[in-house]
Amino acid sequence: MSKLAPVSIRISAPKGVYDVIGADTVRWDDLETRFFETAATWGYPRVRIPVFEHTELFVRSVGEATDIVRKEMYTFSDRGDRSLTLRPEGTAGMVRCFVEHSLDQAGLPWKAAYGGPMFRAENVQRGRYRQFHQFGVEAIGVDDPALDVEVIALGWAFLRHLGLVELTLLVNTIGRPEERARYVEVLADHVRKAVPGLDPDDEERLELNPLRVLDSRDPRVVEALATGPRLRDVLGDESRSHFGAVLDGLDAAGIPYEVDDTLVRGLDYYTSTTFEYASGTLDSAQNALGGGGHYDGLVEMCGGPPLPGIGFALGVERILIACESEGILAEVRGTVDVIVLHVGETAVPARRIAAELREAGVRTDVVFGNRSLKAQFKQADRSGARVAVVVGERDMERGVVTLRDLDTGEQSEATLDSVRQEIEEVIGS
Ligand code: HAM
């Protein structure tokens, strides 16, 4: 029987996911490192939580009526027929972690940072993907407007220190659930009267999650909302004074903000303060670099004590897009600083020199295969390295190598003992 060669099929990545390669990886890692360093400086150490959880956790916390739960979750049954879901966001998992490990015992608030891939089956466009990445913080256990201010200020400071200037902080309060319940009745009534023949999407929102009608893009609804009842006007004293204290705190910290009455956000667990960091460089539908808010009932809903929480998450991809648009992406040189070339029978000493440089922490590559010196120099140029070390047979007999500055083309000789030092002088490490 003849053996058939396997059929060659090119399989591309699924829609809405992508690979991070080359300079993008360096910028990505740098952004992540800076975020977790900033968070740690503010007293939010990193925790790592799983990428999938029981589906029920997200249905209960994010909310059955939200777009995320109704249309966007990647849910599957495992081999034991349990329903699991790839996390669409991190707050639910963080709260589950807090409750599961009784972290309230260690003193409150419990403050922590987290990050990683999140999954939502959304309509894909620039800044909106199916696997995307967030990092964020949560602070659980203390009801103090000053903690809201700290959390908002941390995200703001991080984004500003990246050098972003086209940034607007939007803040709002959506009050307590009972205040909201009173408001949505009046709101639904007002919108239905003002806009006969509502678009089916908005009608569905009014049925399932009336507050989300504040996100409507229908100009008739937008106009009706401008003259309609405002949630802020129906809030009780406690909610008003909490929000007032948050705004005072932001003023005192010198953080500019806009109060946006329509900022309700797409997750059901929020109560009182909500906020977003919007970038002027992205389309308005995807202009949130991050967002967050206060959640009063979530810890209890997840089986824990009745403790409030506040946090935010930032979108890594959107931040990188905003940095690119504002021209502040860091220059990334090649992945190595030095490349070692060899001529004739010098592969062994060339590898030894490379090993010594790597041992000293110098990013070093070598050339593989049997190539001409010309081909090796071509590879050296492509590598992005700053210096090429050329190890030649005759030079080695004299105990020297040639160093070539790949930017200027200048060449010099170095003794085997001084190679490392001379290279470090050129690359400044
Ligand atoms: P969120 O507003 O759903 O909030 O997501 C936060 C950020 O993640 C967004 O502002 C955006 O930058 C990014 N993001 C969301 N969906 C996508 C997507 N499909 N593609 C690319 N980026 C996306 C939350 O997730 C809450 N857990 C935030 C929070 C933490 N609230 C309290 N604590």
Side-chain angles (χ1 to χ4, degrees):
M1 235 172 36
S2 73
K3 239 186 175 179
L4 285 178
V7 181
S8 155
I9 302 175
R10 192 174 176 141
I11 302 173
S12 47
K15 189 171 172 190
V17 308
Y18 52 86
D19 305 300
V20 183
I21 301 166
D24 286 342
T25 319
V26 178
R27 295 188 179 114
W28 185 290
D29 291 349
D30 179 52
L31 191 67
E32 202 172 73
T33 306
R34 286 172 77 168
F35 178 77
F36 287 109
E37 275 172 12
T38 307
T41 309
W42 288 58
Y44 293 73
R46 182 172 190 172
V47 298
R48 292 181 194 268
I49 52 171
V51 166
F52 60 82
E53 300 270 0
H54 289 295
T55 302
E56 198 191 350
L57 177 71
F58 300 116
V59 174
R60 287 172 60 81
S61 57
V62 174
E64 232 160 332
T66 58
D67 282 355
I68 294 180
V69 169
R70 288 174 56 234
K71 307 180 196 162
E72 296 170 0
M73 293 208 303
Y74 285 98
T75 296
F76 59 97
S77 293
D78 74 359
R79 286 160 195 276
D81 234 6
R82 285 166 290 255
S83 179
L84 300 173
T85 293
L86 296 182
R87 61 181 181 194
E89 60 101 51
T91 310
M94 288 292 280
V95 168
R96 195 241 344 112
C97 163
F98 173 81
V99 172
E100 190 160 339
H101 301 284
S102 304
L103 295 174
D104 55 322
Q105 305 300 318
L108 295 173
W110 178 63
K111 305 205 297 190
Y114 61 96
M118 308 287 160
F119 306 86
R120 297 182 194 174
E122 298 209 63
N123 286 329
V124 178
Q125 43 204 297
R126 188 171 143 89
R128 196 173 288 277
Y129 310 101
R130 294 189 172 166
Q131 173 174 326
F132 60 97
H133 298 76
Q134 290 183 338
F135 34 59
V137 300
E138 307 293 343
I140 300 178
V142 173
D143 194 4
D144 182 345
L147 186 56
D148 297 21
V149 174
E150 173 173 286
V151 167
I152 298 172
L154 161 49
W156 180 257
F158 170 70
L159 294 170
R160 289 304 299 247
H161 286 158
L162 293 179
L164 291 170
V165 290
E166 291 193 44
L167 260 191
T168 309
L169 169 64
L170 304 171
V171 286
N172 190 23
T173 176
I174 57 169
R176 297 158 173 239
E178 52 297 356
E179 291 163 338
R180 232 157 36 223
R182 277 204 303 275
Y183 172 70
V184 294
E185 269 180 39
V186 200
L187 175 73
D189 213 39
H190 171 79
V191 173
R192 285 208 175 95
K193 277 194 189 127
V195 187
L198 262 185
D199 163 311
D201 264 1
D202 284 337
E203 188 52 61
E204 192 182 82
R205 282 183 179 151
L206 278 186
E207 283 297 321
L208 290 172
N209 199 353
L211 218 47
R212 298 290 295 167
V213 85
L214 297 177
D215 278 347
S216 172
R217 299 193 176 269
D218 179 341
R220 297 170 308 154
V221 177
V222 174
E223 198 185 320
L225 291 173
T227 57
R230 289 192 320 171
L231 175 56
R232 249 189 305 155
D233 298 332
V234 303
L235 293 182
D237 290 344
E238 220 172 291
S239 292
R240 273 170 205 258
S241 90
H242 185 99
F243 191 51
V246 171
L247 299 186
D248 288 347
L250 291 173
D251 288 335
I255 299 174
Y257 58 84
E258 281 175 22
V259 175
D260 178 352
D261 292 312
T262 66
L263 184 68
V264 289
R265 312 224 347 102
L267 304 107
D268 273 1
Y269 48 63
Y270 290 119
T271 54
S272 88
T273 315
T274 54
F275 58 96
E276 269 180 16
Y277 309 100
S279 165
T281 65
L282 284 117
D283 282 354
S284 64
Q286 277 85 238
N287 70 355
L289 299 187
H294 209 274
Y295 42 87
D296 273 351
L298 187 55
V299 179
E300 201 173 4
M301 189 196 282
C302 293
L307 292 172
I310 174 141
F312 67 74
L314 304 175
V316 176
E317 291 81 357
R318 290 193 195 171
I319 294 176
L320 288 171
I321 294 174
C323 288
E324 189 182 7
S325 306
E326 294 205 28
I328 53 166
L329 276 186
E331 273 284 319
V332 176
R333 276 204 67 107
T335 44
V336 289
D337 293 312
V338 176
I339 185 158
V340 184
L341 318 182
H342 64 273
V343 198
E345 299 298 311
T346 53
V348 172
R351 299 266 131 101
R352 198 167 50 236
I353 291 169
E356 278 166 20
L357 289 168
R358 286 168 171 170
E359 193 66 29
V362 179
R363 300 185 310 160
T364 305
D365 208 352
V366 292
V367 174
F368 294 99
N370 200 3
R371 301 197 198 173
S372 69
L373 188 59
K374 195 171 160 209
Q376 293 188 49
F377 268 119
K378 238 189 199 163
Q379 182 181 342
D381 281 334
R382 276 204 215 110
S383 73
R386 311 256 309 269
V387 180
V389 180
V390 186
V391 186
E393 271 175 12
R394 251 181 270 142
D395 283 352
M396 282 306 282
E397 280 163 19
R398 290 194 295 126
V400 297
V401 292
T402 302
L403 302 185
R404 175 155 164 160
D405 184 320
L406 290 168
D407 285 339
T408 62
E410 263 171 47
Q411 296 206 155
S412 57
E413 266 186 7
T415 62
L416 289 176
D417 293 338
S418 67
V419 179
R420 196 182 108 199
Q421 200 187 342
E422 297 212 11
I423 283 178
E424 284 176 346
E425 267 165 33
V426 178
I427 63 175
S429 56

PDB file of all heavy atoms in Angstrom, residues 353-370:
ATOM      1  N   ILE A 353      32.725  33.069  22.268  1.00  0.00           N
ATOM      2  CA  ILE A 353      32.621  34.525  22.509  1.00  0.00           C
ATOM      3  C   ILE A 353      31.151  34.890  22.749  1.00  0.00           C
ATOM      4  O   ILE A 353      30.809  35.638  23.663  1.00  0.00           O
ATOM      5  CB  ILE A 353      33.200  35.316  21.308  1.00  0.00           C
ATOM      6  CG1 ILE A 353      34.709  35.114  21.265  1.00  0.00           C
ATOM      7  CG2 ILE A 353      32.842  36.789  21.406  1.00  0.00           C
ATOM      8  CD1 ILE A 353      35.370  35.625  19.982  1.00  0.00           C
ATOM      9  N   ALA A 354      30.251  34.313  21.914  1.00  0.00           N
ATOM     10  CA  ALA A 354      28.815  34.599  22.086  1.00  0.00           C
ATOM     11  C   ALA A 354      28.351  34.143  23.474  1.00  0.00           C
ATOM     12  O   ALA A 354      27.615  34.858  24.164  1.00  0.00           O
ATOM     13  CB  ALA A 354      28.007  33.901  21.004  1.00  0.00           C
ATOM     14  N   ALA A 355      28.816  32.968  23.894  1.00  0.00           N
ATOM     15  CA  ALA A 355      28.387  32.442  25.197  1.00  0.00           C
ATOM     16  C   ALA A 355      28.831  33.380  26.317  1.00  0.00           C
ATOM     17  O   ALA A 355      28.080  33.640  27.268  1.00  0.00           O
ATOM     18  CB  ALA A 355      28.957  31.044  25.405  1.00  0.00           C
ATOM     19  N   GLU A 356      30.076  33.910  26.199  1.00  0.00           N
ATOM     20  CA  GLU A 356      30.571  34.819  27.253  1.00  0.00           C
ATOM     21  C   GLU A 356      29.752  36.109  27.296  1.00  0.00           C
ATOM     22  O   GLU A 356      29.430  36.615  28.371  1.00  0.00           O
ATOM     23  CB  GLU A 356      32.043  35.167  27.000  1.00  0.00           C
ATOM     24  CG  GLU A 356      32.979  34.082  27.513  1.00  0.00           C
ATOM     25  CD  GLU A 356      34.399  34.236  26.972  1.00  0.00           C
ATOM     26  OE1 GLU A 356      34.763  35.347  26.521  1.00  0.00           O
ATOM     27  OE2 GLU A 356      35.120  33.216  26.973  1.00  0.00           O
ATOM     28  N   LEU A 357      29.416  36.620  26.101  1.00  0.00           N
ATOM     29  CA  LEU A 357      28.611  37.861  26.069  1.00  0.00           C
ATOM     30  C   LEU A 357      27.229  37.611  26.668  1.00  0.00           C
ATOM     31  O   LEU A 357      26.714  38.403  27.470  1.00  0.00           O
ATOM     32  CB  LEU A 357      28.470  38.353  24.619  1.00  0.00           C
ATOM     33  CG  LEU A 357      29.749  38.919  24.002  1.00  0.00           C
ATOM     34  CD1 LEU A 357      29.586  39.113  22.500  1.00  0.00           C
ATOM     35  CD2 LEU A 357      30.113  40.245  24.676  1.00  0.00           C
ATOM     36  N   ARG A 358      26.612  36.492  26.309  1.00  0.00           N
ATOM     37  CA  ARG A 358      25.276  36.178  26.849  1.00  0.00           C
ATOM     38  C   ARG A 358      25.346  36.015  28.359  1.00  0.00           C
ATOM     39  O   ARG A 358      24.463  36.477  29.084  1.00  0.00           O
ATOM     40  CB  ARG A 358      24.757  34.882  26.217  1.00  0.00           C
ATOM     41  CG  ARG A 358      24.322  35.080  24.786  1.00  0.00           C
ATOM     42  CD  ARG A 358      24.088  33.767  24.106  1.00  0.00           C
ATOM     43  NE  ARG A 358      23.471  33.939  22.804  1.00  0.00           N
ATOM     44  CZ  ARG A 358      23.335  32.965  21.907  1.00  0.00           C
ATOM     45  NH1 ARG A 358      23.790  31.745  22.176  1.00  0.00           N
ATOM     46  NH2 ARG A 358      22.758  33.200  20.752  1.00  0.00           N
ATOM     47  N   GLU A 359      26.402  35.347  28.808  1.00  0.00           N
ATOM     48  CA  GLU A 359      26.584  35.148  30.253  1.00  0.00           C
ATOM     49  C   GLU A 359      26.621  36.505  30.967  1.00  0.00           C
ATOM     50  O   GLU A 359      26.129  36.659  32.082  1.00  0.00           O
ATOM     51  CB  GLU A 359      27.894  34.375  30.460  1.00  0.00           C
ATOM     52  CG  GLU A 359      28.126  33.794  31.844  1.00  0.00           C
ATOM     53  CD  GLU A 359      27.129  32.691  32.196  1.00  0.00           C
ATOM     54  OE1 GLU A 359      26.625  31.977  31.293  1.00  0.00           O
ATOM     55  OE2 GLU A 359      26.842  32.574  33.380  1.00  0.00           O
ATOM     56  N   ALA A 360      27.203  37.502  30.269  1.00  0.00           N
ATOM     57  CA  ALA A 360      27.318  38.840  30.866  1.00  0.00           C
ATOM     58  C   ALA A 360      26.027  39.648  30.664  1.00  0.00           C
ATOM     59  O   ALA A 360      25.964  40.826  31.010  1.00  0.00           O
ATOM     60  CB  ALA A 360      28.492  39.576  30.238  1.00  0.00           C
ATOM     61  N   GLY A 361      25.005  39.032  30.056  1.00  0.00           N
ATOM     62  CA  GLY A 361      23.716  39.719  29.921  1.00  0.00           C
ATOM     63  C   GLY A 361      23.609  40.558  28.655  1.00  0.00           C
ATOM     64  O   GLY A 361      22.674  41.359  28.522  1.00  0.00           O
ATOM     65  N   VAL A 362      24.581  40.419  27.727  1.00  0.00           N
ATOM     66  CA  VAL A 362      24.500  41.177  26.469  1.00  0.00           C
ATOM     67  C   VAL A 362      23.654  40.368  25.480  1.00  0.00           C
ATOM     68  O   VAL A 362      23.909  39.175  25.264  1.00  0.00           O
ATOM     69  CB  VAL A 362      25.921  41.388  25.874  1.00  0.00           C
ATOM     70  CG1 VAL A 362      25.832  42.152  24.554  1.00  0.00           C
ATOM     71  CG2 VAL A 362      26.814  42.112  26.873  1.00  0.00           C
ATOM     72  N   ARG A 363      22.640  41.022  24.885  1.00  0.00           N
ATOM     73  CA  ARG A 363      21.753  40.298  23.948  1.00  0.00           C
ATOM     74  C   ARG A 363      22.529  39.968  22.680  1.00  0.00           C
ATOM     75  O   ARG A 363      22.893  40.878  21.925  1.00  0.00           O
ATOM     76  CB  ARG A 363      20.531  41.162  23.625  1.00  0.00           C
ATOM     77  CG  ARG A 363      19.704  41.521  24.860  1.00  0.00           C
ATOM     78  CD  ARG A 363      18.435  42.262  24.482  1.00  0.00           C
ATOM     79  NE  ARG A 363      18.709  43.378  23.590  1.00  0.00           N
ATOM     80  CZ  ARG A 363      17.787  43.945  22.810  1.00  0.00           C
ATOM     81  NH1 ARG A 363      16.550  43.508  22.829  1.00  0.00           N
ATOM     82  NH2 ARG A 363      18.080  44.956  22.027  1.00  0.00           N
ATOM     83  N   THR A 364      22.781  38.692  22.477  1.00  0.00           N
ATOM     84  CA  THR A 364      23.716  38.278  21.428  1.00  0.00           C
ATOM     85  C   THR A 364      23.141  37.152  20.585  1.00  0.00           C
ATOM     86  O   THR A 364      22.533  36.227  21.112  1.00  0.00           O
ATOM     87  CB  THR A 364      25.023  37.774  22.094  1.00  0.00           C
ATOM     88  OG1 THR A 364      25.520  38.801  22.955  1.00  0.00           O
ATOM     89  CG2 THR A 364      26.068  37.412  21.062  1.00  0.00           C
ATOM     90  N   ASP A 365      23.377  37.256  19.277  1.00  0.00           N
ATOM     91  CA  ASP A 365      22.958  36.180  18.386  1.00  0.00           C
ATOM     92  C   ASP A 365      24.182  35.650  17.634  1.00  0.00           C
ATOM     93  O   ASP A 365      25.226  36.313  17.616  1.00  0.00           O
ATOM     94  CB  ASP A 365      21.913  36.713  17.385  1.00  0.00           C
ATOM     95  CG  ASP A 365      20.969  35.612  16.925  1.00  0.00           C
ATOM     96  OD1 ASP A 365      21.218  34.442  17.254  1.00  0.00           O
ATOM     97  OD2 ASP A 365      19.987  35.938  16.236  1.00  0.00           O
ATOM     98  N   VAL A 366      24.029  34.493  17.029  1.00  0.00           N
ATOM     99  CA  VAL A 366      25.102  33.942  16.210  1.00  0.00           C
ATOM    100  C   VAL A 366      24.506  33.559  14.860  1.00  0.00           C
ATOM    101  O   VAL A 366      23.287  33.562  14.706  1.00  0.00           O
ATOM    102  CB  VAL A 366      25.725  32.680  16.871  1.00  0.00           C
ATOM    103  CG1 VAL A 366      26.466  33.042  18.133  1.00  0.00           C
ATOM    104  CG2 VAL A 366      24.665  31.636  17.147  1.00  0.00           C
ATOM    105  N   VAL A 367      25.384  33.234  13.915  1.00  0.00           N
ATOM    106  CA  VAL A 367      24.893  32.864  12.589  1.00  0.00           C
ATOM    107  C   VAL A 367      24.944  31.353  12.442  1.00  0.00           C
ATOM    108  O   VAL A 367      25.916  30.728  12.859  1.00  0.00           O
ATOM    109  CB  VAL A 367      25.772  33.541  11.511  1.00  0.00           C
ATOM    110  CG1 VAL A 367      25.367  33.066  10.137  1.00  0.00           C
ATOM    111  CG2 VAL A 367      25.629  35.041  11.617  1.00  0.00           C
ATOM    112  N   PHE A 368      23.896  30.785  11.891  1.00  0.00           N
ATOM    113  CA  PHE A 368      23.865  29.332  11.677  1.00  0.00           C
ATOM    114  C   PHE A 368      23.999  29.020  10.192  1.00  0.00           C
ATOM    115  O   PHE A 368      23.723  29.881   9.343  1.00  0.00           O
ATOM    116  CB  PHE A 368      22.560  28.742  12.205  1.00  0.00           C
ATOM    117  CG  PHE A 368      22.434  28.864  13.699  1.00  0.00           C
ATOM    118  CD1 PHE A 368      21.685  29.879  14.266  1.00  0.00           C
ATOM    119  CD2 PHE A 368      23.107  27.980  14.543  1.00  0.00           C
ATOM    120  CE1 PHE A 368      21.586  30.004  15.635  1.00  0.00           C
ATOM    121  CE2 PHE A 368      23.011  28.096  15.908  1.00  0.00           C
ATOM    122  CZ  PHE A 368      22.248  29.107  16.459  1.00  0.00           C
ATOM    123  N   GLY A 369      24.395  27.775   9.905  1.00  0.00           N
ATOM    124  CA  GLY A 369      24.524  27.361   8.509  1.00  0.00           C
ATOM    125  C   GLY A 369      25.864  27.812   7.949  1.00  0.00           C
ATOM    126  O   GLY A 369      26.547  28.648   8.566  1.00  0.00           O
ATOM    127  N   ASN A 370      26.175  27.302   6.787  1.00  0.00           N
ATOM    128  CA  ASN A 370      27.470  27.607   6.196  1.00  0.00           C
ATOM    129  C   ASN A 370      27.303  28.764   5.212  1.00  0.00           C
ATOM    130  O   ASN A 370      26.978  28.557   4.054  1.00  0.00           O
ATOM    131  CB  ASN A 370      27.947  26.328   5.492  1.00  0.00           C
ATOM    132  CG  ASN A 370      29.434  26.362   5.283  1.00  0.00           C
ATOM    133  OD1 ASN A 370      30.098  27.322   5.726  1.00  0.00           O
ATOM    134  ND2 ASN A 370      29.954  25.362   4.598  1.00  0.00           N
TER     135      ASN A 370
END
